Amino acid sequence: MMQDHVFYDCTTAPSPRRARMFLVEKGLTVPTEQIDLRKGEQLGDAFRAINPRCTVPALKLPDGTVLGDNASIARYLEEIRPDPPLMGRTPVEKAIIAEWNAIAESEGLLAIAEVVRNSLPGLKGRALTGPRSYDQIPELAERGRTRIEQFFDTLDRRLASTAYLGGEAFSVADITAFVAVDFAGWVKLAPNKNQRALIAWRNALAERPSARA
Ligand SMILES: N[C@@H](CCC(=O)N[C@@H](CS)C(=O)NCC(=O)O)C(=O)O
């Protein structure tokens, strides 16, 4: 239990889920505060003072430092709790895992966010996260759908030759891609039945206790 830390979460949102899964895989528990994104609590003065970028997850450290992104949170947790390693052991493993995590984020999560944020009526005027307001661009939602199909294909090809995205060991890259595949369900997109390697990997990950986080 990391009593002297505070984790800022929103149970329904995909980004904090990545950090929650990482914590479970490390066997760590942290006192948690829920930020209600539907009510706009992330934009209020209280949370803005914690994370001026107005997003969750965030992690407050004992010295008051706030980590405001999955990248920094994962890096920190890996340093303070190296086992089990989720970001690789050898230089090559670390590099490949970083590459696949970046792919899952930029080609997966961001493509899905492009669809969700530019099409859901509840996100009108909120097409990007953060303190400023941005209008939706319907063409971006269309483009995002094509990108998600391409992302599923990229995952399926990779997983046809390796057990996990980073190689033979489960890693943070799997967490990011797994969260992305579930997030695609928000806009009714899922792997097709011919993407067998992707489906088998997804089903295996769903059995891990962290999948319920
Ligand atoms: N790069 C950030 C992205 C975090 C992010 O986009 N979080 C969303 C929830 S999934 C959020 O806080 N949204 C606030 C909003 O919609 O205003 C990370 O992964 O840590």
Side-chain angles (χ1 to χ4, degrees):
M1 182 78 172
M2 295 160 67
Q3 277 296 1
D4 41 4
H5 293 63
V6 184
F7 179 59
Y8 299 92
D9 188 16
C10 173
T11 49
T12 50
S15 296
R17 186 182 184 208
R18 293 170 64 190
R20 288 199 304 274
M21 286 182 71
F22 199 99
L23 285 163
V24 172
E25 292 285 346
K26 288 285 188 189
L28 295 168
T29 49
V30 192
T32 295
E33 238 180 71
Q34 293 296 326
I35 304 300
D36 192 333
L37 299 185
R38 283 199 192 142
K39 290 196 180 139
E41 205 180 335
Q42 74 278 25
L43 302 171
D45 290 344
F47 188 67
R48 218 177 264 237
I50 294 160
N51 181 7
R53 301 178 68 245
C54 306
T55 55
V56 283
L59 181 68
K60 186 152 86 179
L61 311 187
D63 71 354
T65 302
V66 176
L67 306 178
D69 195 279
N70 269 294
S72 50
I73 293 171
R75 181 76 264 158
Y76 171 77
L77 295 175
E78 183 85 347
E79 297 297 329
I80 62 160
R81 176 68 68 99
D83 283 313
L86 293 176
M87 300 175 86
R89 290 169 208 262
T90 67
V92 174
E93 254 179 47
K94 287 179 185 178
I96 298 293
I97 288 167
E99 178 168 324
W100 279 96
N101 197 45
I103 292 171
E105 201 168 87
S106 62
E107 297 176 22
L109 278 175
L110 290 179
I112 300 156
E114 203 165 70
V115 181
V116 168
R117 301 201 73 103
N118 287 290
S119 64
L120 297 192
L123 288 169
K124 268 210 163 77
R126 294 290 311 151
L128 290 172
T129 59
R132 292 181 67 152
S133 294
Y134 288 92
D135 285 338
Q136 294 180 328
I137 303 174
E139 289 83 359
L140 282 180
E142 275 315 302
R143 187 184 73 178
R145 288 187 170 271
T146 313
R147 293 179 64 208
I148 298 167
E149 280 168 22
Q150 194 187 334
F151 172 62
F152 287 161
D153 205 43
T154 300
L155 293 184
D156 188 55
R157 279 167 205 261
R158 170 68 176 167
L159 293 165
S161 62
T162 54
Y164 296 101
L165 286 175
E168 293 315 303
F170 176 86
S171 78
V172 67
D174 297 292
I175 292 178
T176 305
F178 179 77
V179 168
V181 172
D182 276 9
F183 185 32
W186 284 34
V187 287
K188 302 196 167 43
L189 286 176
N192 71 57
K193 65 178 189 323
N194 298 324
Q195 291 168 327
R196 292 208 186 88
L198 170 55
I199 290 169
W201 165 89
R202 203 236 152 244
N203 290 345
L205 259 63
E207 298 293 316
R208 301 174 80 92
S210 61
R212 290 188 289 279

